[in-house]
Amino acid sequence: MKDIYDALREKGIEIVTISLEKDGYYNPNLRMMFVNKELSDERQKEIILHEFCHAIDHAEFSCLYYDSSVFRLKMEQEATAYMMNHLIEESGGIFDYSTVLENYKLGLGWECKLR
């Protein structure tokens, strides 16, 4: 995770942990990532990884996120895939596909993307 924090710092993006009704979000105009402080450390890590993808790869397309459900879905899938791949890589590639699919409420189509 140090590499993620370093990359955010280099881009001038701040992480703020506060009470939220949702897990987290990234505001490209403020260059701030908001993470729900009520979440477990592991879940906060997942949110930071997910929002990292939005901050680094999607910031210049943020207007499309709200204007098009197709682009929003695409960006959400990319951010979730980034988070999952980072966690899988971090664990040395060892994980249980069924548990991952169930925990993240992912459809079976995701299994191919995780292998």
Side-chain angles (χ1 to χ4, degrees):
M1 281 294 289
K2 182 183 179 320
D3 57 327
I4 300 297
Y5 290 114
D6 289 345
L8 289 170
R9 204 171 5 268
E10 286 175 22
K11 298 282 186 182
I13 297 169
E14 183 180 352
I15 299 175
V16 178
T17 53
I18 59 173
S19 291
L20 295 170
E21 290 185 19
K22 54 183 23 220
D23 290 347
Y25 65 96
Y26 173 67
N27 184 314
N29 296 325
L30 298 175
R31 301 182 64 74
M32 296 176 84
M33 182 185 299
F34 297 91
V35 180
N36 189 334
K37 70 178 185 177
E38 308 300 325
L39 301 174
S40 69
D41 289 345
E42 185 62 29
R43 185 68 181 137
Q44 284 186 19
K45 177 181 179 178
E46 294 167 0
I47 298 303
I48 290 168
L49 289 168
H50 177 96
E51 297 303 327
F52 176 83
C53 182
H54 288 311
I56 302 303
D57 294 340
H58 301 148
E60 64 188 86
F61 306 109
S62 62
C63 62
L64 297 174
Y65 187 86
Y66 298 104
D67 290 344
S68 169
S69 60
V70 172
F71 284 114
R72 181 182 181 131
L73 179 61
K74 181 181 185 315
M75 288 184 229
E76 284 300 318
Q77 287 184 333
E78 288 174 354
T80 298
Y82 177 84
M83 179 261 299
M84 304 282 295
N85 287 327
H86 191 280
L87 292 173
I88 290 167
E89 183 179 311
E90 197 175 73
S91 71
I94 300 170
F95 68 102
D96 175 12
Y97 291 104
S98 299
T99 302
V100 170
L101 295 175
E102 183 178 316
N103 285 348
Y104 295 101
K105 297 174 181 56
L106 301 172
L108 293 177
W110 276 91
E111 185 172 355
C112 298
K113 295 178 185 180
L114 299 175
R115 289 186 180 216

Short mmCIF file of all heavy atoms in Angstrom, two decimals, residues 25-84:
data_model
loop_
_atom_site.label_atom_id
_atom_site.label_comp_id
_atom_site.label_asym_id
_atom_site.label_seq_id
_atom_site.Cartn_x
_atom_site.Cartn_y
_atom_site.Cartn_z
N TYR A 25 -15.57 7.81 -1.71
CA TYR A 25 -15.63 8.37 -3.05
C TYR A 25 -14.45 9.30 -3.27
O TYR A 25 -13.80 9.73 -2.32
CB TYR A 25 -16.95 9.11 -3.32
CG TYR A 25 -17.18 10.35 -2.46
CD1 TYR A 25 -16.85 11.61 -2.94
CD2 TYR A 25 -17.72 10.25 -1.19
CE1 TYR A 25 -17.05 12.74 -2.17
CE2 TYR A 25 -17.92 11.37 -0.41
CZ TYR A 25 -17.59 12.62 -0.91
OH TYR A 25 -17.78 13.74 -0.14
N TYR A 26 -14.18 9.59 -4.54
CA TYR A 26 -13.10 10.51 -4.90
C TYR A 26 -13.72 11.75 -5.53
O TYR A 26 -14.58 11.64 -6.41
CB TYR A 26 -12.13 9.85 -5.88
CG TYR A 26 -11.10 10.81 -6.41
CD1 TYR A 26 -10.15 11.35 -5.55
CD2 TYR A 26 -11.08 11.21 -7.73
CE1 TYR A 26 -9.21 12.26 -6.01
CE2 TYR A 26 -10.14 12.11 -8.20
CZ TYR A 26 -9.22 12.64 -7.33
OH TYR A 26 -8.29 13.55 -7.78
N ASN A 27 -13.29 12.93 -5.09
CA ASN A 27 -13.75 14.19 -5.66
C ASN A 27 -12.59 14.79 -6.45
O ASN A 27 -11.63 15.29 -5.85
CB ASN A 27 -14.20 15.15 -4.57
CG ASN A 27 -14.77 16.44 -5.13
OD1 ASN A 27 -14.20 17.04 -6.03
ND2 ASN A 27 -15.90 16.86 -4.58
N PRO A 28 -12.65 14.72 -7.80
CA PRO A 28 -11.52 15.21 -8.60
C PRO A 28 -11.33 16.72 -8.52
O PRO A 28 -10.20 17.20 -8.67
CB PRO A 28 -11.88 14.77 -10.02
CG PRO A 28 -13.36 14.58 -10.01
CD PRO A 28 -13.72 14.18 -8.62
N ASN A 29 -12.39 17.47 -8.27
CA ASN A 29 -12.26 18.92 -8.17
C ASN A 29 -11.47 19.33 -6.92
O ASN A 29 -10.68 20.26 -6.96
CB ASN A 29 -13.64 19.59 -8.15
CG ASN A 29 -14.38 19.37 -9.46
OD1 ASN A 29 -13.77 19.33 -10.52
ND2 ASN A 29 -15.67 19.20 -9.37
N LEU A 30 -11.68 18.62 -5.83
CA LEU A 30 -10.97 18.90 -4.58
C LEU A 30 -9.66 18.12 -4.47
O LEU A 30 -8.86 18.39 -3.58
CB LEU A 30 -11.86 18.54 -3.38
CG LEU A 30 -13.16 19.30 -3.23
CD1 LEU A 30 -13.97 18.76 -2.06
CD2 LEU A 30 -12.89 20.79 -3.05
N ARG A 31 -9.50 17.12 -5.36
CA ARG A 31 -8.35 16.22 -5.31
C ARG A 31 -8.26 15.54 -3.94
O ARG A 31 -7.21 15.46 -3.32
CB ARG A 31 -7.06 16.94 -5.68
CG ARG A 31 -7.10 17.56 -7.07
CD ARG A 31 -5.83 18.23 -7.47
NE ARG A 31 -4.70 17.33 -7.60
CZ ARG A 31 -4.48 16.45 -8.59
NH1 ARG A 31 -5.34 16.34 -9.56
NH2 ARG A 31 -3.41 15.70 -8.62
N MET A 32 -9.45 15.08 -3.50
CA MET A 32 -9.55 14.44 -2.19
C MET A 32 -10.32 13.13 -2.31
O MET A 32 -11.31 13.05 -3.03
CB MET A 32 -10.26 15.35 -1.19
CG MET A 32 -9.50 16.63 -0.90
SD MET A 32 -10.40 17.72 0.20
CE MET A 32 -9.92 17.02 1.76
N MET A 33 -9.84 12.14 -1.57
CA MET A 33 -10.49 10.84 -1.49
C MET A 33 -11.10 10.76 -0.08
O MET A 33 -10.41 10.97 0.91
CB MET A 33 -9.45 9.74 -1.68
CG MET A 33 -10.01 8.34 -1.65
SD MET A 33 -8.68 7.09 -1.76
CE MET A 33 -7.94 7.47 -3.33
N PHE A 34 -12.39 10.48 -0.02
CA PHE A 34 -13.08 10.37 1.25
C PHE A 34 -13.38 8.90 1.52
O PHE A 34 -13.92 8.22 0.66
CB PHE A 34 -14.38 11.18 1.22
CG PHE A 34 -14.15 12.66 1.05
CD1 PHE A 34 -14.11 13.23 -0.22
CD2 PHE A 34 -13.93 13.47 2.15
CE1 PHE A 34 -13.88 14.58 -0.38
CE2 PHE A 34 -13.70 14.83 2.00
CZ PHE A 34 -13.67 15.39 0.72
N VAL A 35 -13.03 8.43 2.72
CA VAL A 35 -13.21 7.04 3.10
C VAL A 35 -13.95 7.01 4.43
O VAL A 35 -13.61 7.75 5.37
CB VAL A 35 -11.85 6.31 3.22
CG1 VAL A 35 -12.05 4.86 3.63
CG2 VAL A 35 -11.08 6.41 1.92
N ASN A 36 -14.95 6.15 4.51
CA ASN A 36 -15.76 6.03 5.71
C ASN A 36 -14.92 5.46 6.86
O ASN A 36 -14.41 4.35 6.78
CB ASN A 36 -16.96 5.11 5.45
CG ASN A 36 -17.96 5.12 6.57
OD1 ASN A 36 -17.63 5.39 7.71
ND2 ASN A 36 -19.20 4.81 6.24
N LYS A 37 -14.78 6.24 7.93
CA LYS A 37 -13.95 5.82 9.06
C LYS A 37 -14.57 4.69 9.88
O LYS A 37 -13.89 4.08 10.70
CB LYS A 37 -13.65 7.01 9.97
CG LYS A 37 -14.81 7.53 10.76
CD LYS A 37 -14.37 8.68 11.65
CE LYS A 37 -15.51 9.13 12.55
NZ LYS A 37 -15.07 10.18 13.45
N GLU A 38 -15.84 4.41 9.65
CA GLU A 38 -16.53 3.34 10.39
C GLU A 38 -16.20 1.95 9.83
O GLU A 38 -16.53 0.95 10.46
CB GLU A 38 -18.04 3.55 10.34
CG GLU A 38 -18.52 4.93 10.77
CD GLU A 38 -18.14 5.31 12.18
OE1 GLU A 38 -18.12 4.42 13.05
OE2 GLU A 38 -17.85 6.50 12.42
N LEU A 39 -15.57 1.89 8.70
CA LEU A 39 -15.24 0.60 8.07
C LEU A 39 -14.02 -0.03 8.73
O LEU A 39 -13.18 0.66 9.31
CB LEU A 39 -14.95 0.81 6.58
CG LEU A 39 -16.07 1.42 5.74
CD1 LEU A 39 -15.57 1.70 4.33
CD2 LEU A 39 -17.28 0.52 5.71
N SER A 40 -13.91 -1.34 8.59
CA SER A 40 -12.72 -2.04 9.09
C SER A 40 -11.50 -1.56 8.30
O SER A 40 -11.62 -1.01 7.20
CB SER A 40 -12.88 -3.55 8.91
OG SER A 40 -12.85 -3.88 7.53
N ASP A 41 -10.32 -1.78 8.86
CA ASP A 41 -9.08 -1.39 8.17
C ASP A 41 -8.98 -2.07 6.81
O ASP A 41 -8.56 -1.45 5.83
CB ASP A 41 -7.86 -1.75 9.02
CG ASP A 41 -7.71 -0.86 10.24
OD1 ASP A 41 -8.38 0.20 10.31
OD2 ASP A 41 -6.94 -1.23 11.14
N GLU A 42 -9.36 -3.34 6.75
CA GLU A 42 -9.30 -4.09 5.48
C GLU A 42 -10.24 -3.48 4.45
O GLU A 42 -9.88 -3.32 3.29
CB GLU A 42 -9.62 -5.56 5.72
CG GLU A 42 -9.45 -6.42 4.48
CD GLU A 42 -8.03 -6.47 3.94
OE1 GLU A 42 -7.07 -6.33 4.70
OE2 GLU A 42 -7.88 -6.64 2.71
N ARG A 43 -11.46 -3.15 4.87
CA ARG A 43 -12.43 -2.56 3.93
C ARG A 43 -11.98 -1.16 3.51
O ARG A 43 -12.14 -0.79 2.34
CB ARG A 43 -13.82 -2.53 4.57
CG ARG A 43 -14.89 -2.03 3.63
CD ARG A 43 -15.14 -3.01 2.49
NE ARG A 43 -16.15 -2.48 1.60
CZ ARG A 43 -16.09 -2.50 0.28
NH1 ARG A 43 -15.08 -3.10 -0.33
NH2 ARG A 43 -17.05 -1.98 -0.45
N GLN A 44 -11.39 -0.39 4.42
CA GLN A 44 -10.87 0.93 4.05
C GLN A 44 -9.77 0.78 2.98
O GLN A 44 -9.72 1.56 2.04
CB GLN A 44 -10.31 1.67 5.27
CG GLN A 44 -11.38 2.25 6.16
CD GLN A 44 -10.80 3.09 7.28
OE1 GLN A 44 -9.65 3.54 7.24
NE2 GLN A 44 -11.60 3.30 8.31
N LYS A 45 -8.93 -0.23 3.15
CA LYS A 45 -7.87 -0.50 2.17
C LYS A 45 -8.48 -0.78 0.79
O LYS A 45 -8.02 -0.26 -0.22
CB LYS A 45 -7.03 -1.68 2.65
CG LYS A 45 -5.95 -2.10 1.71
CD LYS A 45 -5.20 -3.29 2.30
CE LYS A 45 -4.12 -3.77 1.40
NZ LYS A 45 -3.38 -4.90 2.01
N GLU A 46 -9.53 -1.60 0.77
CA GLU A 46 -10.21 -1.92 -0.49
C GLU A 46 -10.78 -0.66 -1.13
O GLU A 46 -10.65 -0.46 -2.35
CB GLU A 46 -11.33 -2.93 -0.24
CG GLU A 46 -10.82 -4.28 0.20
CD GLU A 46 -11.92 -5.18 0.74
OE1 GLU A 46 -13.10 -4.77 0.79
OE2 GLU A 46 -11.59 -6.32 1.11
N ILE A 47 -11.39 0.19 -0.33
CA ILE A 47 -11.98 1.43 -0.85
C ILE A 47 -10.89 2.34 -1.40
O ILE A 47 -11.03 2.93 -2.48
CB ILE A 47 -12.80 2.15 0.24
CG1 ILE A 47 -13.96 1.28 0.72
CG2 ILE A 47 -13.28 3.52 -0.23
CD1 ILE A 47 -14.91 0.84 -0.37
N ILE A 48 -9.78 2.46 -0.68
CA ILE A 48 -8.68 3.30 -1.15
C ILE A 48 -8.15 2.80 -2.48
O ILE A 48 -7.91 3.58 -3.40
CB ILE A 48 -7.57 3.38 -0.08
CG1 ILE A 48 -8.07 4.21 1.11
CG2 ILE A 48 -6.28 3.97 -0.66
CD1 ILE A 48 -7.19 4.13 2.34
N LEU A 49 -7.99 1.49 -2.62
CA LEU A 49 -7.52 0.92 -3.89
C LEU A 49 -8.51 1.19 -5.02
O LEU A 49 -8.12 1.55 -6.13
CB LEU A 49 -7.27 -0.58 -3.74
CG LEU A 49 -6.06 -0.96 -2.89
CD1 LEU A 49 -6.08 -2.45 -2.57
CD2 LEU A 49 -4.77 -0.56 -3.59
N HIS A 50 -9.79 1.02 -4.74
CA HIS A 50 -10.84 1.25 -5.74
C HIS A 50 -10.83 2.73 -6.16
O HIS A 50 -10.81 3.05 -7.36
CB HIS A 50 -12.20 0.86 -5.15
CG HIS A 50 -13.36 1.13 -6.05
ND1 HIS A 50 -13.90 0.16 -6.85
CD2 HIS A 50 -14.09 2.24 -6.27
CE1 HIS A 50 -14.91 0.67 -7.54
NE2 HIS A 50 -15.05 1.94 -7.19
N GLU A 51 -10.83 3.62 -5.18
CA GLU A 51 -10.86 5.05 -5.48
C GLU A 51 -9.56 5.53 -6.10
O GLU A 51 -9.55 6.49 -6.87
CB GLU A 51 -11.20 5.85 -4.21
CG GLU A 51 -12.56 5.55 -3.63
CD GLU A 51 -13.71 5.76 -4.61
OE1 GLU A 51 -13.63 6.66 -5.47
OE2 GLU A 51 -14.72 5.02 -4.51
N PHE A 52 -8.46 4.84 -5.80
CA PHE A 52 -7.18 5.17 -6.42
C PHE A 52 -7.29 5.08 -7.94
O PHE A 52 -6.81 5.96 -8.66
CB PHE A 52 -6.09 4.23 -5.90
CG PHE A 52 -4.75 4.42 -6.56
CD1 PHE A 52 -3.89 5.41 -6.12
CD2 PHE A 52 -4.35 3.61 -7.61
CE1 PHE A 52 -2.64 5.59 -6.72
CE2 PHE A 52 -3.11 3.79 -8.22
CZ PHE A 52 -2.26 4.78 -7.76
N CYS A 53 -7.93 4.04 -8.41
CA CYS A 53 -8.11 3.87 -9.85
C CYS A 53 -8.91 5.04 -10.42
O CYS A 53 -8.56 5.59 -11.46
CB CYS A 53 -8.79 2.55 -10.17
SG CYS A 53 -8.99 2.24 -11.95
N HIS A 54 -9.98 5.43 -9.74
CA HIS A 54 -10.76 6.59 -10.20
C HIS A 54 -9.87 7.84 -10.22
O HIS A 54 -9.91 8.61 -11.19
CB HIS A 54 -11.95 6.85 -9.28
CG HIS A 54 -13.05 5.86 -9.40
ND1 HIS A 54 -13.59 5.46 -10.61
CD2 HIS A 54 -13.75 5.19 -8.45
CE1 HIS A 54 -14.57 4.59 -10.40
NE2 HIS A 54 -14.68 4.40 -9.10
N ALA A 55 -9.08 8.04 -9.17
CA ALA A 55 -8.25 9.24 -9.07
C ALA A 55 -7.17 9.30 -10.15
O ALA A 55 -6.91 10.36 -10.72
CB ALA A 55 -7.60 9.30 -7.68
N ILE A 56 -6.56 8.18 -10.43
CA ILE A 56 -5.44 8.15 -11.38
C ILE A 56 -5.90 7.98 -12.83
O ILE A 56 -5.42 8.65 -13.72
CB ILE A 56 -4.44 7.03 -10.99
CG1 ILE A 56 -3.91 7.23 -9.58
CG2 ILE A 56 -3.31 6.92 -12.00
CD1 ILE A 56 -3.23 8.58 -9.32
N ASP A 57 -6.86 7.08 -13.05
CA ASP A 57 -7.26 6.74 -14.42
C ASP A 57 -8.51 7.44 -14.92
O ASP A 57 -8.72 7.54 -16.13
CB ASP A 57 -7.48 5.23 -14.55
CG ASP A 57 -6.20 4.45 -14.37
OD1 ASP A 57 -5.10 5.03 -14.52
OD2 ASP A 57 -6.28 3.24 -14.08
N HIS A 58 -9.36 7.91 -14.01
CA HIS A 58 -10.66 8.42 -14.44
C HIS A 58 -10.90 9.90 -14.17
O HIS A 58 -11.94 10.43 -14.54
CB HIS A 58 -11.78 7.63 -13.76
CG HIS A 58 -11.74 6.17 -14.05
ND1 HIS A 58 -12.16 5.23 -13.13
CD2 HIS A 58 -11.32 5.47 -15.13
CE1 HIS A 58 -12.00 4.02 -13.64
NE2 HIS A 58 -11.49 4.14 -14.85
N ALA A 59 -9.97 10.58 -13.53
CA ALA A 59 -10.21 11.97 -13.13
C ALA A 59 -10.58 12.87 -14.29
O ALA A 59 -11.50 13.68 -14.19
CB ALA A 59 -8.98 12.53 -12.40
N GLU A 60 -9.92 12.71 -15.42
CA GLU A 60 -10.22 13.59 -16.56
C GLU A 60 -11.53 13.24 -17.24
O GLU A 60 -12.04 14.01 -18.06
CB GLU A 60 -9.07 13.58 -17.56
CG GLU A 60 -8.84 12.22 -18.22
CD GLU A 60 -7.58 12.21 -19.07
OE1 GLU A 60 -6.51 11.94 -18.49
OE2 GLU A 60 -7.69 12.48 -20.27
N PHE A 61 -12.12 12.10 -16.88
CA PHE A 61 -13.40 11.69 -17.46
C PHE A 61 -14.54 11.76 -16.45
O PHE A 61 -15.60 11.20 -16.66
CB PHE A 61 -13.30 10.24 -17.98
CG PHE A 61 -12.17 10.03 -18.94
CD1 PHE A 61 -11.06 9.29 -18.57
CD2 PHE A 61 -12.21 10.59 -20.21
CE1 PHE A 61 -10.01 9.10 -19.46
CE2 PHE A 61 -11.16 10.41 -21.11
CZ PHE A 61 -10.06 9.66 -20.73
N SER A 62 -14.31 12.46 -15.34
CA SER A 62 -15.30 12.47 -14.26
C SER A 62 -16.66 13.00 -14.70
O SER A 62 -17.69 12.56 -14.19
CB SER A 62 -14.79 13.26 -13.05
OG SER A 62 -14.57 14.61 -13.40
N CYS A 63 -16.70 13.91 -15.67
CA CYS A 63 -17.99 14.42 -16.14
C CYS A 63 -18.81 13.31 -16.80
O CYS A 63 -20.04 13.30 -16.72
CB CYS A 63 -17.81 15.60 -17.09
SG CYS A 63 -16.92 15.20 -18.59
N LEU A 64 -18.15 12.33 -17.41
CA LEU A 64 -18.86 11.21 -18.04
C LEU A 64 -19.45 10.27 -17.00
O LEU A 64 -20.42 9.58 -17.27
CB LEU A 64 -17.91 10.43 -18.95
CG LEU A 64 -17.33 11.19 -20.14
CD1 LEU A 64 -16.30 10.34 -20.87
CD2 LEU A 64 -18.43 11.63 -21.08
N TYR A 65 -18.84 10.25 -15.83
CA TYR A 65 -19.30 9.36 -14.75
C TYR A 65 -20.75 9.66 -14.40
O TYR A 65 -21.54 8.76 -14.16
CB TYR A 65 -18.40 9.55 -13.54
CG TYR A 65 -18.64 8.56 -12.42
CD1 TYR A 65 -18.02 7.33 -12.42
CD2 TYR A 65 -19.50 8.87 -11.37
CE1 TYR A 65 -18.22 6.42 -11.40
CE2 TYR A 65 -19.71 7.97 -10.34
CZ TYR A 65 -19.07 6.74 -10.37
OH TYR A 65 -19.29 5.84 -9.35
N TYR A 66 -21.11 10.93 -14.38
CA TYR A 66 -22.46 11.34 -14.00
C TYR A 66 -23.40 11.50 -15.19
O TYR A 66 -24.60 11.50 -15.03
CB TYR A 66 -22.41 12.63 -13.19
CG TYR A 66 -21.63 12.44 -11.92
CD1 TYR A 66 -20.33 12.92 -11.78
CD2 TYR A 66 -22.19 11.73 -10.86
CE1 TYR A 66 -19.62 12.71 -10.61
CE2 TYR A 66 -21.47 11.52 -9.69
CZ TYR A 66 -20.19 12.01 -9.58
OH TYR A 66 -19.49 11.79 -8.43
N ASP A 67 -22.84 11.64 -16.39
CA ASP A 67 -23.65 11.87 -17.58
C ASP A 67 -24.06 10.61 -18.31
O ASP A 67 -24.96 10.63 -19.13
CB ASP A 67 -22.92 12.80 -18.56
CG ASP A 67 -22.82 14.21 -18.05
OD1 ASP A 67 -23.54 14.56 -17.10
OD2 ASP A 67 -22.00 14.98 -18.59
N SER A 68 -23.38 9.51 -18.05
CA SER A 68 -23.65 8.30 -18.80
C SER A 68 -23.53 7.07 -17.91
O SER A 68 -22.48 6.80 -17.33
CB SER A 68 -22.64 8.18 -19.96
OG SER A 68 -22.73 6.91 -20.55
N SER A 69 -24.61 6.33 -17.85
CA SER A 69 -24.58 5.11 -17.04
C SER A 69 -23.61 4.08 -17.62
O SER A 69 -23.03 3.29 -16.88
CB SER A 69 -25.98 4.51 -16.90
OG SER A 69 -26.50 4.17 -18.16
N VAL A 70 -23.41 4.11 -18.94
CA VAL A 70 -22.48 3.18 -19.58
C VAL A 70 -21.05 3.48 -19.12
O VAL A 70 -20.30 2.58 -18.73
CB VAL A 70 -22.59 3.24 -21.12
CG1 VAL A 70 -21.49 2.43 -21.77
CG2 VAL A 70 -23.95 2.78 -21.57
N PHE A 71 -20.66 4.76 -19.16
CA PHE A 71 -19.31 5.12 -18.73
C PHE A 71 -19.14 4.91 -17.23
O PHE A 71 -18.08 4.48 -16.78
CB PHE A 71 -18.99 6.57 -19.10
CG PHE A 71 -18.69 6.74 -20.56
CD1 PHE A 71 -19.53 7.48 -21.37
CD2 PHE A 71 -17.57 6.16 -21.12
CE1 PHE A 71 -19.26 7.63 -22.71
CE2 PHE A 71 -17.28 6.31 -22.47
CZ PHE A 71 -18.14 7.05 -23.27
N ARG A 72 -20.18 5.19 -16.46
CA ARG A 72 -20.10 4.98 -15.01
C ARG A 72 -19.86 3.50 -14.71
O ARG A 72 -18.99 3.15 -13.92
CB ARG A 72 -21.38 5.45 -14.34
CG ARG A 72 -21.35 5.28 -12.84
CD ARG A 72 -22.66 5.70 -12.20
NE ARG A 72 -22.56 5.54 -10.78
CZ ARG A 72 -22.90 6.46 -9.90
NH1 ARG A 72 -23.39 7.61 -10.30
NH2 ARG A 72 -22.76 6.23 -8.62
N LEU A 73 -20.62 2.62 -15.36
CA LEU A 73 -20.46 1.18 -15.16
C LEU A 73 -19.06 0.73 -15.55
O LEU A 73 -18.40 -0.03 -14.84
CB LEU A 73 -21.52 0.41 -15.96
CG LEU A 73 -21.47 -1.10 -15.86
CD1 LEU A 73 -21.67 -1.57 -14.43
CD2 LEU A 73 -22.52 -1.71 -16.76
N LYS A 74 -18.57 1.24 -16.69
CA LYS A 74 -17.23 0.89 -17.16
C LYS A 74 -16.17 1.32 -16.14
O LYS A 74 -15.28 0.54 -15.79
CB LYS A 74 -16.95 1.54 -18.51
CG LYS A 74 -15.59 1.23 -19.09
CD LYS A 74 -15.38 1.94 -20.41
CE LYS A 74 -14.11 1.61 -21.12
NZ LYS A 74 -12.90 1.56 -20.35
N MET A 75 -16.28 2.54 -15.65
CA MET A 75 -15.31 3.04 -14.68
C MET A 75 -15.37 2.28 -13.37
O MET A 75 -14.34 1.99 -12.76
CB MET A 75 -15.52 4.54 -14.44
CG MET A 75 -15.08 5.40 -15.60
SD MET A 75 -15.25 7.15 -15.20
CE MET A 75 -16.12 7.73 -16.64
N GLU A 76 -16.57 1.93 -12.93
CA GLU A 76 -16.71 1.16 -11.69
C GLU A 76 -16.11 -0.23 -11.84
O GLU A 76 -15.43 -0.73 -10.94
CB GLU A 76 -18.19 1.06 -11.27
CG GLU A 76 -18.73 2.33 -10.66
CD GLU A 76 -17.97 2.75 -9.41
OE1 GLU A 76 -17.62 1.90 -8.58
OE2 GLU A 76 -17.70 3.96 -9.29
N GLN A 77 -16.33 -0.86 -12.99
CA GLN A 77 -15.74 -2.19 -13.22
C GLN A 77 -14.22 -2.12 -13.26
O GLN A 77 -13.54 -2.98 -12.73
CB GLN A 77 -16.30 -2.81 -14.49
CG GLN A 77 -17.73 -3.28 -14.33
CD GLN A 77 -18.26 -3.97 -15.57
OE1 GLN A 77 -17.82 -3.71 -16.68
NE2 GLN A 77 -19.22 -4.85 -15.37
N GLU A 78 -13.69 -1.08 -13.91
CA GLU A 78 -12.24 -0.92 -13.96
C GLU A 78 -11.65 -0.70 -12.57
O GLU A 78 -10.62 -1.28 -12.22
CB GLU A 78 -11.87 0.25 -14.87
CG GLU A 78 -12.08 -0.02 -16.32
CD GLU A 78 -11.86 1.19 -17.21
OE1 GLU A 78 -11.64 2.31 -16.70
OE2 GLU A 78 -11.91 1.02 -18.45
N ALA A 79 -12.33 0.11 -11.75
CA ALA A 79 -11.83 0.39 -10.40
C ALA A 79 -11.90 -0.86 -9.53
O ALA A 79 -10.97 -1.14 -8.75
CB ALA A 79 -12.62 1.54 -9.78
N THR A 80 -12.96 -1.61 -9.65
CA THR A 80 -13.09 -2.86 -8.88
C THR A 80 -12.04 -3.87 -9.35
O THR A 80 -11.40 -4.53 -8.51
CB THR A 80 -14.50 -3.44 -9.01
OG1 THR A 80 -15.43 -2.50 -8.46
CG2 THR A 80 -14.64 -4.77 -8.28
N ALA A 81 -11.84 -3.98 -10.64
CA ALA A 81 -10.82 -4.90 -11.16
C ALA A 81 -9.43 -4.49 -10.68
O ALA A 81 -8.62 -5.36 -10.30
CB ALA A 81 -10.87 -4.93 -12.69
N TYR A 82 -9.14 -3.20 -10.66
CA TYR A 82 -7.84 -2.72 -10.16
C TYR A 82 -7.65 -3.13 -8.71
O TYR A 82 -6.61 -3.67 -8.33
CB TYR A 82 -7.71 -1.20 -10.30
CG TYR A 82 -6.42 -0.71 -9.72
CD1 TYR A 82 -5.26 -0.73 -10.48
CD2 TYR A 82 -6.33 -0.31 -8.39
CE1 TYR A 82 -4.04 -0.34 -9.93
CE2 TYR A 82 -5.12 0.08 -7.84
CZ TYR A 82 -3.99 0.07 -8.61
OH TYR A 82 -2.79 0.43 -8.06
N MET A 83 -8.68 -2.87 -7.89
CA MET A 83 -8.61 -3.21 -6.47
C MET A 83 -8.38 -4.71 -6.29
O MET A 83 -7.50 -5.13 -5.55
CB MET A 83 -9.90 -2.78 -5.77
CG MET A 83 -9.97 -3.10 -4.29
SD MET A 83 -10.90 -4.58 -3.86
CE MET A 83 -12.52 -4.23 -4.45
N MET A 84 -9.17 -5.51 -7.00
CA MET A 84 -9.06 -6.96 -6.87
C MET A 84 -7.68 -7.45 -7.30
O MET A 84 -7.06 -8.26 -6.61
CB MET A 84 -10.14 -7.65 -7.71
CG MET A 84 -11.54 -7.23 -7.40
SD MET A 84 -12.22 -7.97 -5.95
CE MET A 84 -12.29 -9.64 -6.41
#
